[in-house]
Amino acid sequence: MTAPTWGGEPEIVSIGREAHVNVLLLADRNLVSLERICATEGITHQQYVALFRLCLADDPDAGVPIGSVADGLLNRASDVTRRVDRLERGGFAERLPNPTDRRSVLVRATESGRRAFAAVTPQLQEFHRHQWAGLSADELRTLSHLLVKALWAGA
């Protein structure tokens, strides 16, 4: 797709707009698929991301500080408490007292949460294989590198 130029704008601006639109379209299409896959186990994609952090912790039975769950989330960390609340209400996670700091709590996946995580993970892995099937490993590495570069360019 060739980017149209509007009002004599520089080519880099129109190319940037085209890249921006394509990233948004790809993200939207993929998020719909990710949500559909996660829904098979009664969770959202963001809940899966939180379970990913809980299930793959160094010691998943001990739990992790709630702030550590936020580190893995793909959106605002301020949402972590509500996300953990929903996981807890669904029986996928539980809060525990933190034995080293009475002011904080730990969160761990329940057996139901671990089962949901284990059931969804291979489906998501297959989705990612299919999602990028049109790119070679080198092209995918380059794309990932460029996206990270763009992500941090203005930071």
Side-chain angles (χ1 to χ4, degrees):
M1 179 172 173
T2 303
T5 57
W6 296 341
E9 69 185 1
E11 182 182 27
I12 192 71
V13 173
S14 60
I15 294 169
R17 180 178 34 265
E18 178 183 3
H20 174 83
V21 168
N22 287 332
V23 165
L24 291 177
L25 290 171
L26 180 63
D28 184 60
R29 183 177 71 198
N30 288 339
L31 284 173
V32 168
S33 297
L34 294 172
E35 290 296 346
R36 189 176 62 250
I37 292 167
C38 291
T40 64
E41 294 300 317
I43 59 175
T44 66
H45 181 252
Q46 282 297 313
Q47 288 173 321
Y48 174 83
V49 172
L51 285 172
F52 188 95
R53 176 69 182 96
L54 297 176
C55 292
L56 298 180
D58 290 337
D59 185 357
D61 291 328
V64 299
I66 197 163
S68 181
V69 176
D71 293 342
L73 298 181
L74 302 176
N75 58 6
R76 295 186 321 269
S78 63
D79 290 342
V80 71
T81 300
R82 286 191 299 271
R83 183 146 313 119
V84 169
D85 288 345
R86 286 190 292 269
L87 283 169
E88 198 172 28
R89 279 193 305 273
F92 298 109
E94 62 186 340
R95 285 182 170 91
L96 309 164
N98 186 338
T100 61
D101 183 356
R102 295 181 329 165
R103 297 167 294 164
S104 69
V105 296
L106 302 175
V107 182
R108 73 175 171 201
T110 62
E111 190 56 40
S112 293
R114 292 174 194 197
R115 277 194 306 271
F117 175 77
V120 168
T121 297
Q123 295 177 64
L124 290 179
Q125 290 170 336
E126 180 56 32
F127 170 77
H128 291 308
R129 272 191 286 280
H130 176 71
Q131 170 187 30
W132 303 112
L135 300 178
S136 70
D138 285 341
E139 289 171 327
L140 192 52
R141 272 191 280 286
T142 298
L143 174 62
S144 183
H145 171 78
L146 292 172
L147 289 171
V148 167
K149 188 174 177 179
L151 180 65
W152 294 105

